[in-house]
Amino acid sequence: MSDVRHVLVLPDRDAAEEVVEALAERFGVWEEPQVVRDALAGEDDAEDAQWLVVLRDEEGRLDAEVLDAFAGEWEGWREEP
């Protein structure tokens, strides 16, 4: 068992929550991904934050490029953890 993780960066909380729902529907990800607010360095405004969706992929069955394109549907991207 490996500890493979994918981090999807989304522009807002709504997008992050939609991505979590779509992961189950599109990729069969049933383990609840972790959703984390990531404030941008040096920014005081609560609006200036990104939302991260962190999902484990212990079987290594999710393709990084496919996840990057998937996140792009919500104006996000996949980042290396």
Side-chain angles (χ1 to χ4, degrees), residues 20-73:
V20 168
E21 288 179 25
L23 282 167
E25 293 171 9
R26 196 172 309 177
F27 299 105
V29 174
W30 299 112
E31 181 178 332
E32 185 75 18
Q34 182 181 9
V35 177
V36 180
R37 180 181 178 270
D38 184 33
L40 300 175
E43 297 294 333
D44 294 328
D45 189 353
E47 295 294 319
D48 293 326
Q50 297 172 325
W51 287 81
L52 309 179
V53 175
V54 182
L55 62 139
R56 293 174 37 187
D57 183 22
E58 294 170 348
E59 291 88 29
R61 63 184 189 88
L62 299 173
D63 181 83
E65 290 182 18
V66 171
L67 286 174
D68 190 34
F70 172 75
E73 295 175 26

